[in-house]
Amino acid sequence: MSQTLLKSTLVTALVLAVRLPAQAVSLILLARLLGADRFGMFAGVAAACVFLAGFATFGTHLTLLRDASRQQQNLRTGLATALGTTMACGAALAVVFVIIAMKFFPIGGVSIALLAVSELLLQPVIVILAVPHHAAGSPAKAQSILLLTLILRALWITVLYLFISGATLEDYIAGHFACSIFALIAAAWLLPTPSPGLRELNLLPRSQWRESGGYAVLATTAAAPSELDKITASKLLNPLAAGSYAASARIAAAMVIPVIALMLAMIPKLYRRSSVADGPTSDLPLFWATVGYSSVAAGALCHEISASTPGV
């Protein structure tokens, strides 16, 4: 592993590690604030939003990362296409989600709409705005931008829990939406290139929809295993069990942070390598390092579960 890749992986892992305490604070305080019933229901709605968010960018975050890494396309032009497509797809998904969610989840229509706009429109736009940093070889900075929303939401939950008695789910969702707005403003301000104007935004050319659709399916299937189970749990388990399952699953997922950091650090390099006619390069050491860490992490997790639940 090169020193540059190692440094990028370590810094990215440190940034991603901040996600664990921020997520833990959010989940624990929100569960205490809302109670098991409301928290379990919210976890199901939020997981459904996150699952659909994979289609909001319609794969343009990956095609933009590929083209920007290879420097095959003007970054401003690529951003204009990715942002225009994301806004159109995200808005359409948000409308569909609100209509369907109001029939299945007993949450107010305004709250569902704010949650849908936040997760299916604002967050995907932030993902697009973080791509130029990632393509430039700064995955840690890109992840910091994506992490900002979670940190702001953790702070908002803390304020509600400590200073506002009788706060409701609707109060949290309103702040949840505001946090996405602030994070979007920060992401636009940190953009390394001038942001395209509204008149410059456009949709993908017709010839590229099929390719981007494949990337959209890839992104969605990557998120599906970690979200579909929470959606199912909210319907099959009692609210207390569903909420506990959602919280513990998200915290346990943090064990793969080093692998995710390595993957994020390597993606621009792999895209650039695939665009030039270099000789074959073996990534087997990285593969076996990933397998080794994953095996150790899985063993540690199984041991912890066995120790905490005798007889299992």
Side-chain angles (χ1 to χ4, degrees):
M1 183 184 295
S2 67
Q3 289 187 352
T4 302
L5 180 60
L6 179 60
K7 181 180 178 181
S8 180
T9 300
L10 291 176
V11 174
T12 305
L14 289 175
V15 172
L16 290 174
V18 177
R19 180 183 295 271
L20 178 58
Q23 199 163 53
V25 168
S26 300
L27 293 170
I28 293 171
L29 294 187
L30 188 60
R32 291 183 177 181
L33 182 71
L34 301 179
D37 290 359
R38 300 286 281 175
F39 176 72
M41 181 174 55
F42 171 75
V45 180
C49 269
V50 172
F51 171 70
L52 287 177
F55 287 108
T57 64
F58 207 76
T60 54
H61 65 299
L62 294 176
T63 56
L64 178 62
L65 176 59
R66 178 197 63 194
D67 295 340
S69 298
R70 296 173 176 174
Q71 298 181 340
Q72 290 182 335
Q73 182 185 43
N74 179 275
L75 181 57
R76 187 182 177 93
T77 302
L79 273 173
T81 301
L83 288 172
T85 303
T86 298
M87 289 180 181
C89 293
L93 283 172
V95 171
V96 172
F97 178 79
V98 169
I99 294 173
I100 295 176
M102 288 181 65
K103 296 181 179 180
F104 290 96
F105 297 100
I107 301 177
V110 174
S111 295
I112 289 179
L114 290 178
L115 189 62
V117 172
S118 176
E119 297 298 331
L120 298 176
L121 184 58
L122 300 182
Q123 282 301 122
V125 169
I126 294 173
V127 169
I128 296 296
L129 294 178
V131 167
H133 300 285
H134 193 176
S138 300
K141 189 170 185 179
Q143 291 304 310
S144 297
I145 292 172
L146 298 177
L147 188 61
L148 180 59
T149 309
L150 182 60
I151 294 174
L152 290 175
R153 289 172 183 172
L155 292 174
W156 172 240
I157 295 171
T158 303
V159 169
L160 288 178
Y161 183 77
L162 295 178
F163 303 109
I164 303 179
S165 59
T168 63
L169 176 59
E170 288 71 22
D171 295 328
Y172 166 68
I173 291 179
H176 183 99
F177 175 75
C179 290
S180 294
I181 297 248
F182 287 126
L184 176 60
I185 293 172
W189 183 66
L190 292 171
L191 198 62
T193 187
S195 178
L198 289 176
R199 293 185 179 182
E200 298 178 69
L201 302 183
N202 55 78
L203 297 177
L204 279 170
R206 184 176 298 179
S207 60
Q208 296 181 17
W209 279 94
R210 183 173 182 177
E211 178 190 25
S212 291
Y215 280 112
V217 172
L218 177 66
T220 304
T221 52
S226 61
E227 302 303 332
L228 284 178
D229 58 342
K230 300 177 185 64
I231 301 172
T232 305
S234 69
K235 291 299 180 182
L236 299 182
L237 303 178
N238 63 68
L240 176 59
S244 300
Y245 175 80
S248 58
R250 293 195 185 281
I251 293 174
M255 294 189 71
V256 298
I257 281 177
V259 176
I260 294 174
L262 176 60
M263 179 188 68
L264 291 172
M266 283 193 65
I267 286 176
K269 178 182 177 181
L270 293 174
Y271 275 137
R272 285 191 290 270
R273 184 196 300 172
S274 67
S275 66
V276 297
D278 287 342
T281 303
S282 175
D283 292 317
L284 279 178
L286 296 176
F287 171 77
W288 287 116
T290 301
V291 170
Y293 171 81
S294 301
S295 300
V296 171
L301 184 59
C302 290
H303 179 269
E304 183 65 25
I305 293 175
S306 299
S308 60
T309 54
V312 176

